[in-house]
């Protein structure tokens, strides 16, 4: 059985949907905080059990593989919670744990979550189970990344660097293919679109697609933070996000690799494909 945690979230839910196209429903289980929110899976034959990283309960029972989707609560001790879930999965007999890690995880990466992902990968390495850490490329909606460029005619963000922005739907599809297929991938591996782009590239692509001139405006770090605060973003959150821009321009997210295309069996969508859908 394949057990997916966080199966009512965006990535987890999409991964289960793709698994249902590949394996019988009775070979899929989900571990969720609120089983009522996963009733649509239960109705299709998926085993639904209540479980959390704090208290996995019996949600991993019978699992051969577990997809451990990383937590995202900034107030929680996520490393400890991940450790508890990993121990529970191993105790239940899981032979492989697949973990959603972070693209560009490295000890000196200024982007804060890098440290928790590296710590979780280390726990996986000591767990005794086979493991895979999918270092997923940035897969947030492009409008969140670029800001209101269609209204303003400009991409006004801090200085950046190359990033292989990746479609979350394709991350989910590839993850399901890995879980359901016969291929084993060990340790950390990059799962990201094949081409890294900058905001300059986005502005050029958007200009070509719209027939308008879309300008790239580089904001000073502190100016950007001040504008975020003025728009209602807490300062701590703004400064946290600033570390992501700092990491991009230091090259931490520039790497890509062939795995996403291999698992999909096709070339992933480009940023031009994704922008074209919005114009």
């Amino acid at each position: 059985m394949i057990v997916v945690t966080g199966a009512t979230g965006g990535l987890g839910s999409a991964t289960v949907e793709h698994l249902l196209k590949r394996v019988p429903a009775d070979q899929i289980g989900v571990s969720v905080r609120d089983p009522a929110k996963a009733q649509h899976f239960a109705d299709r034959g998926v085993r639904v059990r209540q479980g959390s990283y704090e208290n996995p309960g019996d949600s991993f029972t019978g699992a051969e593989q577990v997809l451990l989707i990383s937590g995202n609560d900034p107030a929680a001790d996520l490393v400890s919670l991940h450790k508890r879930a990993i121990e529970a999965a191993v105790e239940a007999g899981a032979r492989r744990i697949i973990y959603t890690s972070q693209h560009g995880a490295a000890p000196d990466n200024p982007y804060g979550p890098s440290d928790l992902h590296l710590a979780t990968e280390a726990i996986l390495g000591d767990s005794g189970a086979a493991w895979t850490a999918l270092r997923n490329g940035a897969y947030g909606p492009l409008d969140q990344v670029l800001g209101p460029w269609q209204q303003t005619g400009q991409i006004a963000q801090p200085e950046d660097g190359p990033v292989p922005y990746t479609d979350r739907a394709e991350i989910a599809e590839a993850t399901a293919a890995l879980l359901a297929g016969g291929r084993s991938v060990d340790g950390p591996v990059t799962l990201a679109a094949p081409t890294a782009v900058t905001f300059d590239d986005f502005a050029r692509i958007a200009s070509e697609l719209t027939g308008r001139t879309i300008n790239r405006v580089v904001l000073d770090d502190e100016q950007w933070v001040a504008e975020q605060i003025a728009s209602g973003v807490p300062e701590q959150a703004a400064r946290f996000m600033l570390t992501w821009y700092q990491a991009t321009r230091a090259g931490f997210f520039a790497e890509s690799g062939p795995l996403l295309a291999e698992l999909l069996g096709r070339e992933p969508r480009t940023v031009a494909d994704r922008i074209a859908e919005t114009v």
Side-chain angles (χ1 to χ4, degrees), residues 9 18-19 41 52 63-64 73 75 85 92 96 102 106 118-119 124-125 131-132 153 178 183 206 218 232 248 251:
H18 282 290
L19 281 173
F41 288 139
S52 64
E64 295 182 1
D73 181 354
R96 178 174 293 275
Q102 175 198 294
L118 289 174
L124 285 165
W131 62 282
T132 307
L178 185 60
R183 178 175 180 175
V218 179
T248 70

Side-chain angles (χ1 to χ4, degrees), residues 55-141:
N55 181 18
D58 64 351
S59 59
F60 295 144
T61 300
E64 295 182 1
Q65 297 184 86
V66 170
L67 175 61
L68 182 65
I69 294 183
S70 55
N72 59 5
D73 181 354
D77 181 354
L78 292 175
V79 175
S80 295
L81 293 176
H82 291 167
K83 183 174 188 292
R84 190 172 304 173
I86 290 165
E87 290 172 346
V90 171
E91 185 176 350
R95 62 177 176 81
R96 178 174 293 275
I97 300 170
I98 296 181
Y99 170 68
T100 59
S101 186
Q102 175 198 294
H103 186 210
D108 51 350
N109 189 327
Y111 186 53
S114 181
D115 290 339
L116 81 88
H117 290 298
L118 289 174
T120 301
E121 290 179 8
I123 293 166
L124 285 165
D126 292 336
S127 70
W131 62 282
T132 307
L134 298 177
R135 292 183 170 178
N136 292 332
Y139 55 70

Side-chain angles (χ1 to χ4, degrees), residues 257-268:
L259 183 61
L260 181 61
E262 292 171 4
L263 291 172
L264 293 174
R266 64 177 187 275
E267 284 301 308

Side-chain angles (χ1 to χ4, degrees), residues 130-239:
W131 62 282
T132 307
L134 298 177
R135 292 183 170 178
N136 292 332
Y139 55 70
L142 291 185
D143 281 349
Q144 289 184 5
V145 174
L146 302 176
W149 65 272
Q150 295 195 63
Q151 291 74 43
T152 64
Q154 61 184 28
I155 298 172
Q157 303 288 4
E159 180 186 353
D160 71 320
V163 178
Y165 293 96
T166 308
D167 186 349
R168 186 180 71 181
E170 291 186 333
I171 291 283
E173 183 181 348
T175 302
L178 185 60
L179 286 161
R183 178 175 180 175
S184 294
V185 178
D186 296 315
V189 62
T190 296
L191 192 64
T195 303
V197 296
T198 65
F199 289 150
D200 283 336
D201 296 318
F202 271 116
R204 173 182 52 79
I205 293 167
S207 297
E208 293 171 355
L209 289 172
T210 62
R212 301 163 52 198
T213 298
I214 307 299
N215 295 309
R216 164 67 169 121
V217 177
V218 179
L219 299 180
D220 174 81
D221 285 357
E222 291 304 316
Q223 176 190 357
W224 180 82
V225 168
E227 290 184 1
Q228 293 296 298
I229 294 170
S231 70
V233 176
E235 181 175 359
Q236 183 178 5
R239 293 199 177 278

